[in-house]
Amino acid sequence: REFIDGCWRLAFLDDMVCRHELDGVVIKGEPIVFPPKKESIPYRYKLFLEMYGEDTAEVWKKAYNKTWKRAKALRGK
């Protein structure tokens, strides 16, 4: 249960960080456009379940903490 809840939190944090870091970025003349959060966050959740489902708790915590630090740094901006 902790892992499932953590994947939801990670999906939310990752979505927030990516939207902030990539807002206004243009690649090859095309602006980056995000889907609505109601689509993006569940997609990220499923992705993280697949990505980390077979990893150790240590690997999972490291990935989560890295994203948490990025999100926390955005608060100060």
Side-chain angles (χ1 to χ4, degrees), residues 22-77:
L22 298 173
D23 184 42
V25 173
V26 176
I27 298 176
K28 295 184 181 181
E30 295 291 324
I32 293 179
V33 178
F34 288 94
K37 287 182 182 184
K38 68 180 183 178
E39 295 172 16
S40 178
I41 293 174
Y43 171 80
R44 291 169 193 269
Y45 164 73
K46 291 175 188 173
L47 180 67
F48 293 137
L49 282 177
E50 290 176 19
M51 285 175 58
Y52 299 112
E54 295 185 19
D55 287 337
T56 64
E58 184 178 320
V59 170
W60 157 250
K61 287 178 184 177
K62 187 174 182 179
Y64 182 85
N65 288 336
K66 183 178 178 182
T67 304
W68 173 248
K69 287 177 184 176
R70 288 172 61 203
K72 191 174 178 183
L74 295 175
R75 287 182 165 175
K77 292 183 178 183

